[in-house]
Amino acid sequence: MRYLIPLVAGAALVAGLASPAQAAPASNEWTADVSGRAVTWGGSPRTGLIELGSHRLAQPANAVTAAVTGDGVVDVRGLRADGQWTEWLEAPATLPVTTSTIETRVVLSSGKASRVKLTAKQVPATVAADDVSVAAAGRSYRVYATREGLVGGTTANGHVIRSRDHFVALPSRRGLAAKNSGNYSVQVCASNGRCEWAPVWDVGPWNTKDDYWNPSATREMWKDLPQGKPQAQAAYENNYNGGKDQFGREVANPAGIDLADGTFWDGLKLTTNSWVTVTYLWTGSGPVGTVRTSDAAGTVNVRSGATSTASQVGVAANYAQVRVTCQLTGQSVTGTQGTSNVWYRIASGKHIAKAYVAGVSGATAC
């Protein structure tokens, strides 16, 4: 369960009517009036998000600065060559790619913001550029998982937590997906062989600036820790930082991921907090698709083979992204994306029907 300060249930706060979206001209300096934008409050500590959408640059760039009038900071991310996004970085930021499309969001801790001015330019790269030319599964680490619970509360992206919900929380908003989006998703596998694919919709446990899956060159805090080791685990096991988290609280478990109740009980069939293997799918490359179910809180069965009679070896949550290793012909299935006999292999021995996965392009035959 979460060990951050108690959650304050959030709600969508509209500080006036939002202006209709208009296509702005391409430019490397632009401003956004945010005084009338919807603010989504949630998470713990409580934060507000104002999604500003994407902006086309006149000249490709890899660095963004931002000035906010009022409260808040600005997160930025860039569109990669494969159509996926980099992680969110707090401005001023140097992105791992040179891009012509930037997306931004304002993060509030309290109060309001009225205006944001942004500038994008090209600067010498500080880290190696993302290589998306070759398919890769993404970084994978074994971490301790706790059950989030908090049914009826609001996550950091504004999602109201349902009974037996399906999502995860990671201790950094760099991998926080927007509500009803899965462009930051994980594959979580338990020692019993079951896996779930779920979107990242909350921030925690313990810390909020611990992107431990990243190398020290880009990790936001705790750069002296080994890549893949959450700060909470180091604090709990090795008395790192005096055994305390970034807020000075005594760490009571080594958790590096929180699982929503449905992910915990139904997806992975866990009965107690456990060690799991997590793949941070956005750190990979190659064909990707988005799971879509008719029920907003639904899941799709993941099978050991390309047929509904094959054993169920996990589930994929609505809005979760899946990395497609290859595709094969199997049983014909009718789902939200039509009728098809194509199945996607999304991990070794793990298959999902194409009829429930949108947007896959470039998948090769198994």
Side-chain angles (χ1 to χ4, degrees), residues 39-42 45-50 71 73 106-110 156:
V39 184
T40 302
W41 291 96
R46 189 171 182 256
T47 56
L49 294 180
I50 305 175
D71 174 55
V73 297
V106 180
V107 184
L108 305 176
S109 56
S110 62

Side-chain angles (χ1 to χ4, degrees), residues 146-162:
T146 49
R147 183 176 65 83
E148 175 153 348
L150 302 176
V151 174
T154 305
T155 66
N157 74 354
H159 171 71
V160 178
I161 302 174
R162 307 179 183 97

